[in-house]
Amino acid sequence: MRLTYPTTFVLPAVLDGHPHGFDVMEATGLPSGTVYPILRRLDAEGCVRSRWEKEGLARKEQRPPRRYYELTAGGRHMARESKSKAAAMAHAGRRLLIESEG
């Protein structure tokens, strides 16, 4: 599985309870043209399972049906790994900033 930089944000967002694309976009700040292809790829690779909500609910709320995503065991592992890598990169970045200022 290819773990791209944007994927390191999408996986933890799903892990943290953002179950559909629009929620993931809001949580990550990534555009739809980035989020939805990543979610489709993760689904095809077995890192997430997806399902469409019942059409009646969407119709009742006057919006298109949402596709909900849930991490598989492998996807949860990758999401936790992504969070660890992101934290390590943030720490390294802060250290570089401090060193360059000092």
Side-chain angles (χ1 to χ4, degrees), residues 69-91:
Y69 297 90
E70 178 184 355
L71 293 172
T72 61
R76 282 190 298 279
H77 175 75
M78 289 183 69
R80 287 188 209 102
E81 229 175 69
S82 292
K83 277 185 160 185
S84 294
K85 286 180 183 180
M89 287 189 304
H91 177 72

Side-chain angles (χ1 to χ4, degrees), residues 47-83:
C47 296
V48 299
R49 281 185 291 274
S50 66
R51 65 173 174 79
W52 287 99
E53 75 177 335
K54 294 190 188 314
E55 199 169 308
L57 176 62
R59 199 174 323 115
K60 183 178 176 182
E61 295 182 7
Q62 299 180 1
R63 58 171 171 73
R66 293 177 178 155
R67 190 171 195 161
Y68 286 91
Y69 297 90
E70 178 184 355
L71 293 172
T72 61
R76 282 190 298 279
H77 175 75
M78 289 183 69
R80 287 188 209 102
E81 229 175 69
S82 292
K83 277 185 160 185

Side-chain angles (χ1 to χ4, degrees), residues 4-57:
T4 63
Y5 184 69
T7 305
T8 64
F9 295 102
V10 170
L11 282 167
V14 177
L15 179 68
D16 290 343
H18 301 281
H20 56 83
F22 192 74
D23 275 353
V24 173
M25 289 167 46
E26 285 186 339
T28 63
L30 295 171
S32 62
T34 299
V35 169
Y36 288 104
I38 289 171
L39 289 170
R40 282 192 298 272
R41 181 172 51 84
L42 292 171
D43 196 11
E45 293 175 352
C47 296
V48 299
R49 281 185 291 274
S50 66
R51 65 173 174 79
W52 287 99
E53 75 177 335
K54 294 190 188 314
E55 199 169 308
L57 176 62

